[in-house]
Each structure stands twice: as C-alpha cells, then as structure tokens.
Amino acid sequence: MDTKKLRVGIIGAGGIAVNAHLPNYEKCLEKIQLTAIADVAKEKAIAAAEMFHIDSAYDNYEEMLKNEELDAVSICTPNKFHAPAAIAALEAGCHVLCEKPPAITVDEAEAMTAAAEKAGRILTYGFHFRHTQQVAALKRYIDADELGDIYAAQVTAVRRRGIPGWGVFTNKELQGGGPLIDIGVHMLDSALYLMGYPKPETVLAASYQKLGNKKGVGVMGDWDWENFSIEDMARGMILFENGASLTIETAFAANVEKLDVMDVSLMGEKGGADLFPLQIYQEKHGTLVNTTPAYLPKTNEHELEITRFVDACLTGSIPLSTPEQGLYLQQIIHAIYTSAERGEAVKISEL
Ligand SMILES: NC(=O)c1ccc[n+]([C@@H]2O[C@H](COP(=O)([O-])OP(=O)(O)OC[C@H]3O[C@@H](n4cnc5c(N)ncnc54)[C@H](O)[C@@H]3O)[C@@H](O)[C@H]2O)c1
C-alpha cells in the first residue's frame, strides 16, 4: 500500500461512475490509488473493480468506509442516496465529490453542507459544465466587466424526445423529479455561476406531464412510460434579491424543432452572451458586434472535474463548486417544484 497516495473510493458503479469518474481517476494514478468501490448490486461493483483494477468491491458503502481508510469518495448513486452517502463519507473523514444534483431536498443539502463544515472536508458537486472551455472563457469576459451588470438570463435544457430509457431517471422517489433536477440543474448552475450566484427571492413555475406517460418515439431508448412519475417539462421564472431575473425551460420531451438544446443566454448592461455555442453581443464604437471564439482548447470537462477534485484534496485549494452554491441551487429547485404544485408564486424565505 502506498500511503502517500490519495485513497479513493466510489459509491455507485453505474453509468456515470464507469464512463466519467473511473476513466478520469485512472489518469491520476500517480497521485491516487483506486482503493474500493461499493454498489448495492455487488456484481456491478465487482465488474467495475475488474475493469479499473480497483482493489476491493463491496455491496455496502458503510462497510467500505469502515474498512478502507479512504481519503476521497465519489458519489455516483441515484439522487436519493446522495445525502446519506455523502454524510457518511464526510463523517468517515473523506473529501467528497458528489454527482449532481446535490440532493433531493433542501434539508438534505443543508445537512451535507453542515457535515462538510463539521468534518473540515471538501464537499463539491459534479457540475461538469462549469469545467467547459465555454464557461471558463465567458467567465473571463465577465470578470473583465465586458457584460456589465447581468440583469437577465434564459436557461434552456430541452429535449424533443430524450427521456432516458435506462436507469431510474423517470422515478420521482429515487430522483426527486425529472428534467429540471436532472439536466436543467446543469444549465441553471452554469448561469448562476456566471451571474455570481445571486440570492434567489421569488419563484413562479409550472410543470407538466403530457408526453412521458404515453408510449412514443424514444430518441434515448424506450422508457418505462407506464411508471413515469416525473414531470416531462418544467418552466419557471426566478427573481433575485439584486433585481436580476432568470427564466428556465426544461424538458425531457416537448414538441419542439430541435432534438436537444442545452444553453444559457445572459443579458447585461454592457453586453450579452450565449454559451453553447459561445457568442458575445455588444455595442462598440457605434456598431453592434458579435464576438465568437476562433479557437477554444479541446478539453474533457469530466477529466478537469476529477483532476481538480484530486488536486483540491491534496493541496486544500477550493473547488469550483461549493456546498453553499449547491444549497442555493437546491432551494431554487424546491421552489420551482413547490410553485408548480401550488400554482402560485413562492418566496424562498417562506418555504
Ligand atoms: N454529470 C452528469 O452529466 C451526469 C450524467 C449522468 C448521471 N449523473 C448523476 O449520477 C448519478 C448516477 O447516475 P447514473 O447514470 O450513473 O445511474 P445508474 O443507474 O447507471 O447508476 C447508479 C448506480 O448506483 C447504484 N446504487 C443505488 N443505490 C445505491 C446505494 N445505496 N449504495 C451504492 N450504490 C447504489 C445502482 O445499483 C447503480 O449501479 C445520478 O445522481 C445522476 O444525476 C450525472
């Protein structure tokens, strides 16, 4: 055993663990040791352990945390288990990279934040879009005040028929919701990050279940339409304490032209921007100009997320995504679902 290397464990051996976390931890083997993996389906833990040369496989993460003296853990379970697994790992003295969304409820996100503070360990979330070159480049423009005060944003995460045909993404009990909490949360986080995470105040939203509960064309495979318990569309408007506003549109299925749109539009006093693809809109010298990058480095955002997490664990640097931001995000998600359910605007402070 090399005690100088960060001992890394994985909780949940499904899609995101095998396709994003493990291959990128493998690129850090000079700094880490892939020590153990746990999945309630032990055969999945064993298969991943074989594929990535991980020393031990468990069917119970608590046992893994007790036995393995881990330094860092990735949490890659369905959303329902994020909070209990993250809190257990933090209490066991581990730094935690938890997949998005932070959790299902605000109480859970609060408990995770408190556990990280108490343990003095890193808690960060898998918002990998933050690590894209588009977000990084636009952040540099915003930091140089090229957009001025950003007072309006539009967030889009809309698929035409992209209801996942695998996993538990259509199960409200295990995921907490549908496109809003699964894909909308990525674009919402990117927008809020670029806006400086303003404090949300009031939310008005609506959600629908119109297409997912019927048999239909599945661009992402055949989904379980008979047990479809989530919204297939959620839309909302958020007002912030600083006067800014943000509209959000999310769908796994909607009758729209494009198969898949993920984008953030920002509008500021000095300029505006779209994120995917990156374009900046300004008025300069009496001319309306658009700026598009001629070149952006090709990087892998999942790799950057993992390598930055590893470096943060080893150096104490602060990761891009913080527990406090995760909590704000969870409050907004909760407020959107609550407003949609009540059919009226809600104040975050009153929830
Ligand atoms: N960053 C991204 O773009 C991205 C993409 C996909 C998924 N995710 C997130 O990753 C998480 C997992 O998604 P996935 O696509 O890998 O799902 P998945 O269904 O493929 O894998 C989840 C795994 O967790 C295991 N599991 C369930 N309960 C467990 C428990 N209590 N302890 C240990 N293991 C348990 C399951 O057996 C399964 O193998 C979700 O929170 C999802 O939102 C993020």
Side-chain angles (χ1 to χ4, degrees):
M1 184 179 78
D2 186 344
T3 48
K4 279 177 289 189
K5 287 188 179 178
L6 202 68
R7 290 169 62 81
V8 172
I10 311 284
I11 301 180
I16 198 72
V18 168
N19 296 315
H21 288 242
L22 285 164
N24 289 306
Y25 277 124
E26 260 198 332
K27 296 173 189 163
C28 306
L29 289 176
E30 279 183 10
K31 297 178 181 172
I32 70 149
Q33 180 184 348
L34 277 172
T35 305
I37 184 159
D39 196 301
V40 282
K42 190 157 186 195
E43 68 284 1
K44 290 177 87 171
I46 292 171
E50 278 171 10
M51 202 184 322
F52 294 96
H53 313 289
I54 305 170
D55 302 336
S56 316
Y58 289 82
D59 61 7
N60 178 322
Y61 65 77
E62 283 176 346
E63 219 173 291
M64 174 179 87
L65 292 170
K66 199 166 75 192
N67 290 350
E68 297 288 348
E69 292 180 11
L70 300 171
D71 301 305
V73 166
S74 266
I75 296 182
C76 303
T77 64
N79 302 345
K80 182 176 179 173
F81 309 106
H82 286 188
I87 292 168
L90 289 161
E91 285 176 351
C94 301
H95 300 294
V96 170
L97 167 57
C98 177
E99 262 307 330
K100 45 52 63 172
I104 288 186
T105 69
V106 175
D107 284 352
E108 287 173 335
E110 262 166 5
M112 292 160 82
T113 306
E117 206 163 293
K118 186 164 176 219
R121 292 290 183 273
I122 291 167
L123 169 63
T124 188
Y125 298 112
F127 289 114
H128 67 265
F129 282 89
R130 287 231 198 157
H131 301 272
T132 60
Q133 292 300 328
Q134 289 87 340
V135 170
L138 185 53
K139 181 80 167 59
R140 291 193 293 273
Y141 272 74
I142 289 171
D143 288 348
D145 202 30
E146 293 268 357
L147 266 53
D149 175 37
I150 300 170
Y151 56 89
Q154 163 73 43
V155 166
T156 310
V158 173
R159 296 178 186 155
R160 182 162 171 170
R161 287 296 187 279
I163 303 172
W166 67 92
V168 297
F169 293 96
T170 56
N171 180 325
K172 187 167 180 187
E173 209 236 314
L174 292 176
Q175 287 294 95
L180 172 67
I181 202 165
D182 187 48
I183 51 175
V185 76
H186 273 304
M187 291 299 100
L188 184 57
D189 174 71
S190 299
L192 293 173
Y193 170 61
L194 291 166
M195 294 168 84
Y197 255 89
K199 199 153 187 249
E201 201 171 50
T202 307
V203 172
L204 175 63
S207 73
Y208 302 91
Q209 195 191 70
K210 298 281 186 187
L211 305 174
N213 55 355
K214 302 172 189 77
K215 201 169 169 37
V217 174
V219 171
M220 299 175 84
D222 291 330
W223 72 95
D224 183 4
W225 59 272
E226 284 164 310
N227 297 300
F228 187 88
S229 54
I230 53 158
E231 84 279 6
D232 47 38
M233 174 186 274
R235 329 172 65 215
M237 182 169 211
I238 300 146
L239 303 179
F240 298 91
E241 270 183 15
N242 67 1
S245 64
L246 180 154
T247 54
I248 179 165
E249 182 119 27
T250 70
F252 275 162
N255 286 319
V256 291
E257 183 202 353
K258 300 216 165 88
L259 285 184
D260 195 345
V261 178
M262 296 283 273
D263 195 19
V264 170
S265 303
L266 300 176
M267 288 143 273
E269 277 182 346
K270 291 189 187 174
D274 274 308
L275 201 47
F276 301 113
L278 180 58
Q279 185 151 228
I280 293 163
Y281 315 113
Q282 290 167 312
E283 179 182 329
K284 284 201 168 171
H285 315 298
T287 310
L288 296 179
V289 292
N290 299 350
T291 304
T292 52
Y295 164 77
L296 282 175
K298 285 203 181 3
T299 48
N300 173 340
E301 47 274 12
H302 287 288
E303 180 176 349
L304 285 174
E305 177 185 293
I306 297 289
T307 52
R308 286 171 175 167
F309 173 59
V310 166
D311 286 342
C313 295
L314 290 169
T315 66
S317 62
I318 296 171
L320 269 189
S321 163
T322 67
E324 292 71 28
Q325 293 167 347
L327 189 52
Y328 272 25
L329 207 60
Q330 204 73 51
Q331 286 173 336
I332 294 175
I333 290 168
H334 174 57
I336 291 176
Y337 282 134
T338 305
S339 169
E341 208 178 288
R342 292 186 188 166
E344 61 186 28
V346 296
K347 288 235 175 270
I348 296 227
S349 61
E350 289 168 10
L351 288 177

